[in-house]
Amino acid sequence: MNNHDLLIEKLGRDMQPVKPPRPTGWRVLMWLLLALPCGIAASFLVQRTLTDWSQPGAMRAAVQLALAFTLGLLAIRSAFNMSIAGRRSLSWKALLPLGLLWLGLSLSSIPHAVIEAHDDDSTRCFTFLLVVSTPMIMLMIASLRRTRALHPVRSLAMAGLGVACMAVTLLAFCHPVHLHAMDFVMHLAAIAVIVTMTVLLGKRWVKWG
C-alpha cells in the first residue's frame, strides 16, 4: 500500500483503548481477598485439627506464621511487578533473609517435638498444603494472565513461592506448634511441588511480552 496516511487512518479506527493494570498494591489486596478464603474453604476437604496456641512454643510458631505471611506477601507483590515490563521487583536475594529465618525457626522447634505424641502421618501436611494451594494457584495464574511478562517463568516461580508461603500460613492454624523432622521434610517438599506446579500450569496461559 502506497498511501501510508490511509493505512494509518484505517489502523487508528481499528485500535481499541488499552485498559492499564491496577496498581500492584491493589492487585495484591484483591488476590488475597479472593485466594485466602478459597484456601480456607479447601482446607475443609482434608483432615485437620486446630492449633493449640496455649502450648509451650506457641510464640515461636506465631513468629513463623508471621514470617511465612510476610514472605508470601512480598513474593506475590514481586510476581505482579515482574509481570509488567519496566516495573522494579524484589529479587530472590532480597527474600532470602526472611526465608532463612523461617527455616531456622522451623529447625529450632524440631528437638522439642518429643513432648508431644506424633502419629507419623506427616503426609497429611503435604496433602493439606497441596489442597489449599490449588485454588490459589489458579487465581494467581488468572491474575498474571492479564498482563504480558518479559520473563514469565521467573514471574511464575516467584508467584509459586508466594502461594506456597500463604499455604504454609494457613497450615500454621492447623498444625501442632512443634515440628517433627518428617513434618519439616514434607513442608519443604510441598513448597517445591507448589512452585513447580505454578510454573508448569502457568507457562501455557501467561502471555509473553
Side-chain angles (χ1 to χ4, degrees), residues 163-179:
V163 170
C165 290
M166 290 303 169
V168 170
T169 300
L170 294 180
L171 178 63
F173 292 98
C174 310
H175 195 281
V177 296
H178 300 295
L179 279 177

Side-chain angles (χ1 to χ4, degrees), residues 54-204:
S54 65
Q55 291 291 316
M59 181 59 68
R60 177 168 44 196
V63 173
Q64 288 176 259
L65 184 157
L67 285 172
F69 181 80
T70 302
L71 184 59
L73 197 64
L74 293 175
I76 291 167
R77 181 180 179 85
S78 181
F80 279 132
N81 279 332
M82 290 171 66
S83 69
I84 302 176
R87 293 279 182 91
R88 298 185 63 181
S89 60
L90 292 174
S91 69
W92 64 269
K93 293 180 180 179
L95 302 178
L96 188 59
L98 282 177
L100 291 176
L101 184 56
W102 177 82
L103 285 172
L105 286 174
S106 298
L107 288 171
S108 69
S109 68
I110 291 176
H112 302 283
V114 293
I115 66 174
E116 188 172 326
H118 190 246
D119 59 4
D120 295 324
D121 191 9
S122 298
T123 56
R124 274 189 264 175
C125 296
F126 185 85
T127 302
F128 181 96
L129 290 171
L130 291 189
V131 169
V132 301
S133 67
T134 298
M136 294 194 283
I137 290 174
M138 296 297 103
L139 288 170
M140 176 57 69
I141 292 174
S143 298
L144 291 176
R145 196 168 183 267
R146 297 191 59 181
T147 54
R148 292 182 179 271
L150 292 177
H151 306 285
V153 173
R154 281 161 49 184
S155 179
L156 286 166
M158 187 67 76
L161 175 61
V163 170
C165 290
M166 290 303 169
V168 170
T169 300
L170 294 180
L171 178 63
F173 292 98
C174 310
H175 195 281
V177 296
H178 300 295
L179 279 177
H180 285 255
M182 189 52 65
D183 288 342
F184 182 63
V185 172
M186 288 294 103
H187 293 179
L188 295 182
I191 290 171
V193 171
I194 291 169
V195 173
T196 302
M197 283 176 53
T198 306
V199 173
L200 293 180
L201 293 174
K203 280 179 66 176
R204 180 176 179 180

Side-chain angles (χ1 to χ4, degrees), residues 45-56:
L45 299 175
V46 295
Q47 184 179 357
R48 58 183 178 73
T49 55
L50 295 179
T51 302
D52 183 1
W53 295 103
S54 65
Q55 291 291 316

